[in-house]
Structure formats: C-alpha cells, structure tokens
Amino acid sequence: MRDVLVDVQGVHKSFKLGETQVRALRGLDLQVQAGEFTAVVGASGSGKSTLLNLIGCLDEPDEGKILLGGQDISHLDDAARSRLRNRRIGFIFQSFNLVPVLSVAENVELPLLLHSEVSDADRKARVSQALVDVELAEFANQLPDRLSGGQRQRVAIARALVTRPALVLADEPTANLDSETTAKLVDLMVELNQRRGVTFLFS
C-alpha cells in the first residue's frame, strides 16, 4: 500500500469576478498516492488550475484542509510556503516560464541555487542528469528562443525535476503544443514517473 502524498479534505475556494462570486471548488476531496501519475480532467473553468494552485501553495483554501506528506499546508505563512514550494514541489506551466537570457542549463539550475546544502559539483551533476532525462543534453548551452515549443517544455520538465521534489504539478503543460509533441511529452512524463517514482498531478 502506497502512502498518501496529497490529501485534500473538504476544500472550498471562491473568487470575486466583478459583482459575481465564482465558486471554483465546493467541498472537494482528493487523495493522490506517492508515485502515482494522476490526471485531473474537466472543462475550462471547472477548477483544475485552482486545485493545482492550492496544492502548490500558490493560494489558500477558504475552507477545508490540504495535507502534503501528512503536513497541513492550508494556511502557512509566505516564508514557509516559499520554502515548501522550493523543496518539495516542482511546477510545469503551460507557458514554459523560462528566463530568456539564461541558457538551457542555467534555466534548469535556477531552483537549485536556493539549496545551499547542494555543492557546486552536485548541482552541475543534477542539471546534467536532468537534461539527459529529457533528451536535451546537447542543447545545454542554447538559449530558449533557439528551441521549439516541445523542447522548451522539456527544459521546464527538467527544471521541475532537478530539485528532486516529492510532487510535480503540471498545469495544462501541453495546451500550446501540437498533438504529436503533446503525445511525446506525456509519454516522457509517464516514463519519468515510472522510472524515477516521481509523483505527477497533471491537469
């Protein structure tokens, strides 16, 4: 029996949109086991991104609790949320969010710079391995604008994995890509999930 990594308990979240109160989540319960590849599927506006933002400590629920590895992360202060995001959660975004003036390797290395316990040699080794994992080792010194959309998203996947997080949140990471590239990227994430035991929550 796998351990429960993410435990969402009775979560509510609403937003103000003009004069309208939008109830994005209404008493949601969800459990994700460690090592799972879980897809959250629904129409646009059904609350998928809201859910991922709450689990990723980018927002707080109005009601209910969210546990990550048994820790209640529902209402942490800003500093604690930042530490948790950097240490335990990797993010893959729809728009890549790469730094255009940094090379591929430097983009992947970026989150590790906040890990003072990681030596320079270990940092370089992790970046190299992450780029091998996503089949971009030969592009390490390229700038992002020299890459295709699919290659840029592979850089984002490498960046998400380089800190060895407990959980990777992927919010519609293939929405801007063609169907063939989408299939290859999903296959890559499934392979990394199976080979490295990384837990993915995929919208």
Side-chain angles (χ1 to χ4, degrees):
M1 180 85 177
R2 290 174 172 173
D3 293 332
V4 175
L5 179 62
V6 177
D7 191 2
V8 178
Q9 303 176 4
V11 162
H12 292 255
K13 184 65 180 180
S14 297
F15 299 98
K16 195 83 169 171
L17 191 63
E19 296 300 311
T20 306
Q21 190 80 0
V22 178
R23 297 175 63 196
L25 300 176
R26 311 178 191 188
L28 179 71
D29 296 311
L30 172 71
Q31 286 191 340
V32 179
Q33 311 292 324
E36 280 190 339
F37 189 103
T38 302
V40 179
V41 181
S44 179
S46 61
K48 302 186 301 297
S49 293
T50 299
L51 173 63
L52 265 59
N53 287 343
L54 293 171
I55 294 171
C57 290
L58 297 171
D59 204 350
E60 297 182 24
D62 299 331
E63 297 177 43
K65 289 170 61 173
I66 301 172
L67 307 180
L68 180 63
Q71 176 188 1
D72 188 348
I73 63 171
S74 311
H75 301 289
L76 299 175
D77 62 35
D78 286 345
R81 281 159 54 162
S82 294
R83 282 194 301 273
L84 189 140
R85 282 195 302 266
N86 185 251
R87 299 282 166 170
R88 305 197 63 195
I89 303 172
F91 293 90
I92 306 169
F93 300 99
Q94 181 177 327
S95 56
F96 317 137
N97 289 348
L98 302 179
V99 181
V101 297
L102 298 181
S103 70
V104 164
E106 289 168 336
N107 268 283
V108 173
E109 182 183 33
L110 205 52
L112 276 180
L113 297 176
L114 298 175
H115 290 234
S116 57
E117 77 284 0
V118 179
S119 69
D120 289 350
D122 188 21
R123 195 167 66 242
K124 299 297 183 189
R126 286 204 206 181
V127 170
S128 295
Q129 184 58 55
L131 290 176
V132 168
D133 286 343
V134 298
E135 301 176 354
L136 286 179
E138 69 270 32
F139 296 94
N141 296 317
Q142 294 273 20
L143 292 176
D145 66 2
R146 304 295 299 272
L147 305 179
S148 69
Q151 288 171 325
R152 281 183 242 179
Q153 197 58 292
R154 284 173 180 263
V155 177
I157 293 169
R159 182 184 57 193
L161 294 174
V162 77
T163 59
R164 298 174 182 166
L167 173 68
V168 172
L169 299 174
D171 190 8
E172 300 193 33
T174 59
N176 294 327
L177 305 174
D178 62 76
S179 57
E180 182 179 352
T181 304
T182 291
K184 288 178 180 177
L185 278 173
V186 172
D187 287 346
L188 171 64
M189 286 186 277
V190 170
E191 179 191 346
L192 290 169
N193 162 259
Q194 294 172 345
R195 183 154 45 95
R196 301 212 174 274
V198 180
T199 306
F200 278 85
L201 184 56
F202 183 104
S203 165

